[in-house]
Structures are given as structure tokens and as C-alpha cells.
């Protein structure tokens, strides 16, 4: 989901739908009232919630946690007792250490109340003007200017990531712009509280979040982190790129070479987002989206969205083709963007689909794409202006 849930990404068609995508996509996020556009409620950041492999290496658990039994908000939870036993048997954790840690975990009732309301409106269709409203949350001077400033500060790391992973710098920046506005809003919920609440008190997605909790504990131990300290989104997404713990284990990298993977560190975040894209199939030098033209006579016969793909020939027969010849020998996705005054159809290339692996939303991926292009234009313009002044 990577990832899911605290910042900017969460704005889908409505607060409820946004949250849904966030929690139920891969790298999505919730609404934005308390969730400032960035950290409060993010998309479901990169996360596959894969089965965590046993980790029995002799790492020391950090933090002075110890108790004979769980007390506090989660005392007497049979499912938590079962989970602790699993962590002891599978990963070699000390039972009393986990008892002490979970005795400190706090139930986030606000999160549960919010999700209960959001779950009631998950199935809405894209509404008229939905894309215009979503886009306005991100395509503004605040996000673009912050992206240019971040690029100038971390130019060397971005160049190195682009060379190593084949991912353009502007798309790495597009993710961090939508997710946390480059670290301005990384969330203020303790990850242990968020994942414990959602793992044991949110029935609809409890299994998913218990798996993320397992990943988080393994992650914290392997990186030498006190599991009671990290904060993130209300769904447990972490750092500038809002990775869920399972995504951290699979795709986070130590890009600054200090021996630790730290997604709150800009260089590690840059390398990790680039690696995430590369591992999900980013095609270097290929386009992301294409504008379209044609009669659109057979458009009603084609389902738009990221779950459907069509050979170019099928699209042409339906009266829709790219404005510029793309030489596409691969299937494309038909994307519907609903503006206030009109509907727009675009064609999504494989690289567009890669962006949606971060958050399973057409709107999310389009916001990343348009922000990437806007940040790149302003960065190049400023670089050109300074070159002229210094020349």
C-alpha cells in the first residue's frame, strides 16, 4: 500500500469512498477532515499484506516492556492472546515483552467510529465533477512549490534513484507530494495503537491489519526500533511515502547507507518509493497516459477503470485512439475522468497501472501523474532561469 491512510491521498469521490480505497486498495487513504490532505488519512500505502516469513534471528527487542499478562484497553482479548502466542512461536518474541507492549496500546475509538460511517458508502460510482474535486486537493501551488524545493534539496539522491531504478525523479516526487507533502503530514497516530485497534476491533478488515501488525513488530525488531514510538496514519502507514509495514519489509531500502531503513529519512524514502515502482514493473522511458481523440461511438461497450485492459485495436474499433501514435503493442486501460462540465477519456499505459499498485485508484494515479509533470515543469523553468542569470 506500498500503501494506506493518513494524508492527502484519501480523497476519492467522497470522504467515505476515499477511505475505502485507502483501506482496501494497496496504497490508499481516507478522508480529509481530520486527515489533513496528507497525514491524517492517507491512502492505503503500499502494502500487500503478504504472509510474513518467520524471523528467528537473535535481535534484541527494544523498549522496556514486560508484564505477566496484558492489561489496559486490550486486557482479556482472546484474539490478542492468540496473536501473541503466534508471534512467540513463529518469530521467537518474548511473551512477557509482548504482554507489556500491548498493555500500553490504546484503542482508537475515533478511528472505529469513522470507519463505521465510511463503510456505509463504499460502493458509490464516480460522480459528476468527481475528478475536478479530487484534483483540486493536490494540483495547487503548495504541493508544486514544495516539490520543487524538495527536488532542489535532494537532487543528488533523486538522480541516483532514477539511474538505479529507472524511475523518473518527478514520479517519486509525485507520490510523496500526494502522500505527505514531502513529510509535512506524516500522521500523528502511534502505529502500535492504530494497528492494534484495527486488528482486533475492526471486524471487516481485521485479518489484514493483524497481518500488518505482525509485519510491524518484525520490522521494529529488525531495525532496532521501539515499537511504541513510531507514528503514522490512522491505518498504520509510515514515513514520507506512507508505507504499510508489510510493504516496508518487502520494498524499503537503506538508500543513504547508514545501515538502517528509515522511511522518515528523505533519502531512504526516495530510494524506497523508486524501488517499489521498479519491483512493480515500471518501464523506463515509456509513457504513463495518453490523451485521446475519435468518434467515441462504441465507448459504452467498454468498461473504464484499472481493472479492465484492451488491445489498441479494440479501442480503435470503439472509436477511440491516442492523439499521438504510441506504437502500443501492449493492452491499455480506458480511464474516465469526470470534470464539472464534461467527461474525459484517457488511455493508461502499464506505468499508470504501476502507480495504482501504490493506491488502487484512477484518481490517485492521475493526481500523482499531473503533480509529477507540474513539479518537473517548474523545476526546469527555475533551473533555466538561474542558468540564464548565471550565464
Amino acid at each position: 500500500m506500498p500503501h494506506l491512510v493518513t494524508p492527502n491521498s484519501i480523497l476519492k469521490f467522497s470522504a467515505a469512498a476515499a477511505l475505502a480505497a485507502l483501506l482496501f486498495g494497496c496504497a490508499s487513504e481516507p478522508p480529509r477532515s481530520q486527515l489533513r490532505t496528507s497525514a491524517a488519512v492517507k491512502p492505503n500505502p503500499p502494502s500487500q499484506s503478504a504472509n510474513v516469513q518467520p524471523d528467528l534471528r537473535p535481535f534484541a527487542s527494544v523498549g522496556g516492556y514486560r508484564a505477566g499478562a496484558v492489561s489496559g484497553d486490550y486486557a482479556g482479548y482472546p484474539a490478542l492472546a492468540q496473536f501473541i502466542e503466534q508471534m512467540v512461536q513463529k518469530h521467537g518474541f518474548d511473551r512477557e515483552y509482548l504482554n507489556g507492549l500491548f498493555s500500553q496500546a490504546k484503542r482508537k475509538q475515533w478511528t472505529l467510529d469513522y470507519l463505521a460511517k465510511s463503510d456505509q458508502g463504499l460502493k458509490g460510482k464516480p460522480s459528476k465533477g468527481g475528478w475536478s474535486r479530487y484534483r483540486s486537493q493536490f494540483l495547487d501551488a503548495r504541493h508544486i512549490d514544495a516539490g520543487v524545493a524538495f527536488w532542489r534539496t535532494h537532487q543528488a539522491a533523486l538522480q541516483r534513484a532514477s539511474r538505479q531504478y529507472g524511475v523518473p525523479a518527478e514520479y517519486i516526487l509525485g507520490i510523496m507530494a500526494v502522500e505527505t507533502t514531502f513529510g509535512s503530514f506524516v500522521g500523528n497516530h502511534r502505529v502500535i495503537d492504530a494497528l492494534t485497534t484495527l486488528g482486533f476491533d475492526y471486524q471487516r478488515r481485521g485479518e489484514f491489519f493483524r497481518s500488518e501488525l505482525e509485519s510491524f513488530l518484525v520490522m521494529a525488531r529488525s531495525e532496532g526500533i521501539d515499537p511504541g514510538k513510531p507514528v503514522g496514519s490512522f491505518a498504520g502507514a509510515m514515513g514520507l511515502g506512507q508505507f504499510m509495514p508489510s510493504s516496508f519489509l518487502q520494498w524499503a531500502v537503506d538508500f543513504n547507507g547508514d545501515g538502517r531503513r528509515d522511511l522518515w529519512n528523505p533519502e531512504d524514502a526516495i530510494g524506497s518509493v523508486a524501488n517499489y515502482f521498479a519491483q512493480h514493473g515500471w518501464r523506463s522511458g515509456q509513457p504513463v497516459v495518453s490523451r485521446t481523440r475519435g468518434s467515441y461511438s462504441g465507448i459504452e461497450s467498454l468498461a473504464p477503470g484499472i481493472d479492465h485492459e484492451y488491445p489498441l485495436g479494440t479501442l480503435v474499433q470503439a472509436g477511440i485512439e491516442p492523439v499521438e501514435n504510441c506504437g502500443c503493442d501492449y493492452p491499455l486501460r480506458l480511464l474516465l475522468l469526470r470534470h464539472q462540465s464534461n467527461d474525459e477519456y484517457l488511455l493508461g499505459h502499464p506505468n499508470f497501472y504501476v502507480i495504482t499498485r501504490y493506491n488502487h485508484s484512477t484518481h490517485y494515479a492521475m493526481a500523482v501523474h499531473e503533480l509529477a509533470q507540474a513539479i518537473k515543469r517548474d523545476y526546469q523553468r527555475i533551473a533555466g532561469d538561474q542558468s540564464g542569470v548565471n550565464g
Side-chain angles (χ1 to χ4, degrees):
M1 111 3 16
H3 348 121
L4 257 219
V5 176
T6 243
N8 290 338
S9 312
I10 96 186
L11 312 162
K12 236 183 149 181
F13 304 128
S14 68
L19 165 74
L22 151 74
L23 291 176
F24 315 122
C26 213
S28 303
E29 174 176 65
R32 200 177 167 81
S33 2
Q34 304 206 14
L35 325 165
R36 304 256 328 227
T37 260
S38 201
V41 197
K42 247 190 152 17
N44 289 318
S47 139
Q48 299 299 325
S49 193
N51 291 328
V52 184
Q53 295 301 309
D55 187 350
L56 296 172
R57 290 176 289 178
F59 288 120
S61 296
V62 180
Y65 305 106
R66 198 153 200 86
V70 176
S71 60
D73 287 358
Y74 284 93
Y77 269 59
L80 176 57
Q82 182 180 1
F83 176 84
I84 290 173
E85 183 63 26
Q86 171 190 332
M87 298 302 294
V88 170
Q89 297 300 326
K90 182 176 179 180
H91 298 290
F93 277 85
D94 181 82
R95 183 178 287 99
E96 291 191 351
Y97 172 84
L98 293 181
N99 287 341
L101 173 63
F102 285 109
S103 293
Q104 303 299 317
K106 303 299 182 184
R107 183 183 300 106
K108 307 294 286 187
Q109 190 59 46
W110 175 87
T111 300
L112 297 171
D113 293 343
Y114 175 76
L115 291 179
K117 294 178 181 178
S118 298
D119 287 349
Q120 297 173 10
L122 294 179
K123 296 294 184 179
K125 293 182 179 179
S127 59
K128 179 180 178 180
W131 166 238
S132 299
R133 292 188 292 273
Y134 188 95
R135 184 181 187 276
S136 69
Q137 307 287 338
F138 305 104
L139 270 292
D140 58 21
R142 180 169 69 90
H143 287 86
I144 296 168
D145 292 349
V148 172
F150 190 90
W151 197 335
R152 290 166 62 84
T153 301
H154 301 287
Q155 181 179 13
L158 286 161
Q159 287 179 338
R160 183 160 59 91
S162 294
R163 288 195 303 268
Q164 182 170 334
Y165 296 106
V167 180
E170 60 267 27
Y171 285 97
I172 301 171
L173 295 171
I175 289 289
M176 289 192 282
V178 172
E179 291 294 331
T180 63
T181 319
F182 307 98
S184 297
F185 304 107
V186 295
N188 57 6
H189 299 262
R190 284 203 315 166
V191 175
I192 189 68
D193 295 336
L195 295 178
T196 303
T197 296
L198 293 171
F200 299 102
D201 284 307
Y202 183 47
Q203 291 186 355
R204 200 164 80 80
R205 294 302 305 274
E207 182 178 358
F208 169 82
F209 286 106
R210 287 191 296 276
S211 175
E212 291 297 337
L213 180 59
E214 177 186 0
S215 294
F216 174 68
L217 293 175
V218 170
M219 178 204 88
R221 186 176 64 175
S222 65
E223 298 296 325
I225 299 171
D226 181 339
K229 300 298 185 184
V231 296
S233 80
F234 72 63
M238 303 174 293
L240 275 68
Q242 293 288 281
F243 274 42
M244 292 299 282
S246 62
S247 292
F248 181 101
L249 291 179
Q250 295 178 75
W251 298 297
V253 298
D254 171 20
F255 203 59
N256 64 2
D258 68 354
R260 295 182 61 240
R261 294 180 291 174
D262 179 1
L263 295 183
W264 291 266
N265 174 276
E267 287 192 43
D268 283 2
I270 287 168
S272 297
V273 171
N275 182 52
Y276 185 88
F277 274 7
Q279 296 299 323
H280 284 78
W282 185 272
R283 302 185 182 189
S284 180
Q286 292 195 7
V288 175
V289 297
S290 292
R291 303 290 170 183
T292 64
R293 64 185 176 190
S295 66
Y296 303 93
S297 56
I299 201 73
E300 297 301 326
S301 66
L302 303 177
I306 59 176
D307 295 328
H308 307 278
E309 55 184 3
Y310 305 99
L312 181 59
T314 299
L315 294 163
V316 171
Q317 288 177 358
I320 182 170
E321 60 182 312
V323 170
E324 297 179 355
N325 180 20
C326 65
C328 306
D329 58 355
Y330 45 74
L332 299 163
R333 286 170 170 82
L334 181 63
L335 310 176
L336 170 61
L337 300 179
R338 305 208 66 190
H339 298 264
Q340 292 291 355
S341 58
N342 67 288
D343 289 347
E344 178 184 16
Y345 287 97
L346 302 175
L347 298 179
H349 294 263
N351 282 344
F352 183 87
Y353 186 72
V354 170
I355 298 175
T356 68
R357 299 309 83 201
Y358 208 98
N359 181 322
H360 298 176
S361 160
T362 294
H363 283 182
Y364 177 89
M366 277 303 302
V368 169
H369 170 67
E370 292 200 5
L371 266 175
Q373 297 305 310
I375 291 169
K376 180 181 179 180
R377 281 193 299 271
D378 276 21
Y379 176 79
Q380 291 179 334
R381 175 181 57 77
I382 292 172
D385 291 346
Q386 292 184 341
S387 175
V389 170
N390 298 328

